[in-house]
């Protein structure tokens, strides 16, 4: 075959090949098109921020990868850094039993201290400090010292390791709970987890707990407040609610901050004696519950140990009643004991 004939035959062959490829492309659609995302609906884990039951910020509506799904299901407070935000303590030396000006910052994805926060439940930032054995509890609200630095007066009652939680929402970002360990020098003897209890006393008040924790689903918890044997029906609103509940999982101190059903002034919610919560714990095990309530102008804290699921220390221990073992606070900048 001469050269011109060969060239004609080759071009014709290319036309057939490209024509077939075009047909296949039209049949299967755009190559490399992004997969459809799945939007959370009923039956998926709820997002969380300050005031819900899962204990961490909203990670967005799309759940596209196993890694993202795992992040969404991670309880709050277990990480010192998340979504580019990092909790950094600035106070290094702390002595037990002595008031300290505890300072810290939250740095953002740009590496700079965050200075702009959303107000949640009347505060820009909520700060929780507990001992690792969950016998000591403080809920305080630091003040801004300038330049993204937060300051709060804290007294650590004894030597040992404490966990500090910063619960906040930067402006334009999702709510987060970050945690960091705080070391207080001195001889330290850890205590056993307080026994399971359904009734506790604090400052002349008696608080009873009804309901059980079921891992993986919302559980109704009803707390009743009485004083001198009479129901308290005039609880005072504090931070936009009649009560606040912090739940901490024993051993790793996974954090959940739960707020009650209803709100003061909604025409339906009574000012006591009952405060109803819906809490979802992530797993079986023992939990410590700390209830903050305000009456006669003072905020008090009642604490409980409660087991979720079977074969937990809390669920197998017998019921006990007695004075609350937690340390209450005024929930502003200066803690005080009850």
């Amino acid at each position: 075959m001469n050269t011109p004939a060969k060239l004609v035959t080759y071009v014709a062959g290319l036309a057939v090949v490209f024509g077939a490829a075009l047909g296949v492309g039209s049949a299967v659609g755009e190559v490399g098109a992004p997969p459809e995302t799945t939007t959370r609906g009923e039956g998926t884990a709820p997002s969380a921020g300050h005031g819900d039951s899962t204990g961490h910020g909203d990670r967005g509506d799309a759940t596209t990868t196993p890694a993202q799904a795992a992040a969404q299901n991670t309880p709050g407070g277990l990480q010192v850094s998340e979504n580019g935000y990092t909790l950094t303590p600035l106070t290094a030396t702390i002595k037990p039993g002595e008031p300290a000006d505890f300072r810290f910052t939250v740095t953002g994805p740009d590496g700079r201290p965050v200075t702009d926060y959303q107000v949640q439940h009347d505060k820009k930032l909520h700060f929780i400090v507990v001992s690792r054995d969950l016998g000591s509890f403080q809920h305080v609200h630091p003040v801004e010292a300038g330049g993204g630095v937060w300051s709060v007066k804290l007294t650590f009652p004894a030597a040992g390791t404490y966990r500090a939680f910063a619960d906040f929402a930067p402006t334009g970002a999702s709510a987060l709970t970050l945690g960091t360990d705080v070391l207080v020098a001195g001889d330290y003897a850890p205590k056993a987890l307080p026994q399971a209890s359904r009734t506790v006393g604090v400052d002349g008040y008696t608080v009873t707990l009804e309901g059980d924790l079921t891992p993986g689903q919302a559980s109704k918890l009803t707390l009743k407040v009485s004083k001198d044997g009479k129901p308290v029906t005039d609880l005072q609103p504090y931070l936009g609610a009649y009560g606040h509940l912090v739940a901490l999982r024993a051993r790793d101190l996974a954090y959940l901050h739960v707020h009650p059903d209803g709100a003061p002034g909604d025409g339906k919610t009574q000012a006591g004696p009952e405060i109803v919560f819906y809490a979802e714990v992530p797993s079986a095990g023992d939990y410590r519950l700390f209830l903050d309530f305000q009456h006669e102008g003072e905020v008090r804290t009642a604490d409980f140990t409660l087991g979720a699921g079977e074969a937990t220390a809390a669920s197998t221990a017998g019921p006990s009643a007695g004075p609350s073992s937690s340390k209450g606070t005024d929930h502003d900048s200066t803690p005080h004991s009850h």
Side-chain angles (χ1 to χ4, degrees):
M1 184 180 294
N2 58 28
T3 299
K6 289 181 180 180
L7 182 60
V8 171
T9 301
Y10 178 70
V11 172
L14 287 178
V16 171
V17 171
F18 281 104
L22 180 60
V24 172
S26 299
V28 301
E30 180 183 356
V31 176
E36 294 184 3
T37 58
T38 302
T39 302
R40 282 203 302 259
E42 293 184 355
T44 57
S47 62
H50 181 94
D52 62 22
S53 62
T54 56
H56 56 69
D58 182 10
R59 316 295 174 86
D61 289 332
T63 53
T64 57
T65 69
Q68 289 172 328
Q72 289 171 346
N73 293 326
T74 301
L78 295 179
Q79 302 178 88
V80 71
S81 183
E82 186 176 0
N83 293 350
Y85 294 89
T86 302
L87 174 60
T88 304
L90 302 178
T91 303
T93 303
I94 301 173
K95 297 181 179 180
E98 297 184 10
D101 180 16
F102 189 82
R103 296 187 171 223
F104 63 93
T105 63
V106 176
T107 55
D110 59 359
R112 299 178 181 178
V114 178
T115 58
D116 198 1
Y117 293 82
Q118 303 175 44
V119 174
Q120 297 187 108
H121 301 280
D122 299 339
K123 299 291 182 179
K124 291 183 178 180
L125 186 144
H126 299 258
F127 203 61
I128 308 294
V129 180
V130 298
S131 58
R132 271 284 176 181
D133 60 16
L134 292 174
S136 171
F137 173 89
Q138 298 182 54
H139 179 177
V140 296
H141 296 102
V143 296
E144 295 174 277
V149 175
W150 292 91
S151 174
V152 61
K153 292 293 184 182
L154 284 175
T155 299
F156 295 84
T161 304
Y162 293 76
R163 188 70 174 173
F165 302 94
D167 191 346
F168 62 94
T171 297
S174 301
L176 291 171
T177 301
L178 301 180
T180 187
D181 281 346
V182 179
L183 303 180
V184 179
D187 294 334
Y188 169 57
K191 299 179 180 179
L193 192 71
Q195 282 192 340
S197 58
R198 293 282 181 167
T199 301
V200 300
V202 54
D203 286 357
Y205 292 82
T206 300
V207 184
T208 59
L209 170 64
E210 296 179 358
D212 296 294
L213 294 173
T214 301
Q217 69 182 51
S219 303
K220 181 180 179 180
L221 301 176
T222 302
L223 294 112
K224 297 181 180 180
V225 183
S226 63
K227 184 179 182 182
D228 300 326
K230 298 180 180 179
V232 175
T233 58
D234 57 344
L235 291 171
Q236 297 168 323
Y238 181 71
L239 301 177
Y242 286 127
H244 295 261
L245 187 66
V246 170
L248 295 168
R249 183 170 60 187
R251 300 181 185 274
D252 68 351
L253 275 59
Y255 174 100
L256 300 92
H257 196 157
V258 191
H259 289 273
D261 192 33
D266 64 3
K268 299 179 295 182
T269 304
Q270 300 297 315
E274 296 185 352
I275 315 172
V276 177
F277 298 87
Y278 290 89
E280 181 177 337
V281 296
S283 67
D286 294 331
Y287 290 81
R288 287 282 285 160
L289 309 180
F290 298 92
L291 171 71
D292 297 328
F293 65 95
Q294 180 168 257
H295 188 242
E296 297 180 347
E298 187 173 351
V299 178
R300 297 168 173 85
T301 303
D303 62 273
F304 301 83
T305 301
L306 191 60
E310 298 179 356
T312 64
S315 61
T316 56
S320 64
S324 171
S325 61
S326 67
K327 298 295 182 181
T329 72
D330 62 4
H331 295 241
D332 292 309
S333 61
T334 306
H336 62 272
S337 299
H338 291 305

